[in-house]
Amino acid sequence: AEKTASYRSKAERAEEAKRKARIKEIELQISKEEETAAALENEISLPEIAADYKVMAEKCALLEKTHAKLEELYAEYETLLD
């Protein structure tokens, strides 16, 4: 019975380490995605980009994808913090 308790705590410790590593990974991804979003928002505000419909549409589509990715990351982040 002692081995089982010991094994269980090792497994729990491993799970906790894995969870903490994933949290750090997500924090890095969130940071990168937020930088990407800020850069895209900045580009979209430039007159030369705003004047070019095709480029503007591409930047807006990328921004939407970035925001969607951020939502996914924040959702996973929240579940890991619980």
Side-chain angles (χ1 to χ4, degrees):
E2 257 182 65
K3 278 187 176 182
T4 306
S6 173
Y7 170 77
R8 200 173 279 143
S9 67
K10 273 185 184 176
E12 286 169 4
R13 285 196 304 268
E15 270 305 307
E16 181 63 12
K18 195 172 162 184
R19 188 181 71 82
K20 285 181 177 177
R22 181 62 184 146
I23 287 171
K24 283 188 178 178
E25 191 179 305
I26 290 173
E27 287 171 344
L28 283 172
Q29 284 183 286
I30 286 172
S31 180
K32 285 181 186 174
E33 293 295 333
E34 285 178 342
E35 284 177 23
T36 299
L40 286 166
E41 288 164 359
N42 188 43
E43 289 175 30
I44 288 169
S45 70
L46 297 172
E48 60 270 23
I49 300 294
D52 187 333
Y53 174 78
K54 188 176 181 194
V55 174
M56 182 71 157
E58 289 169 5
K59 302 281 181 191
C60 286
L62 281 173
L63 186 58
E64 276 184 43
K65 281 184 184 175
T66 303
H67 281 255
K69 180 68 177 169
L70 276 167
E71 282 183 32
E72 287 175 24
L73 289 168
Y74 277 121
E76 184 180 352
Y77 186 74
E78 285 178 25
T79 61
L80 289 170
L81 292 181
D82 289 341

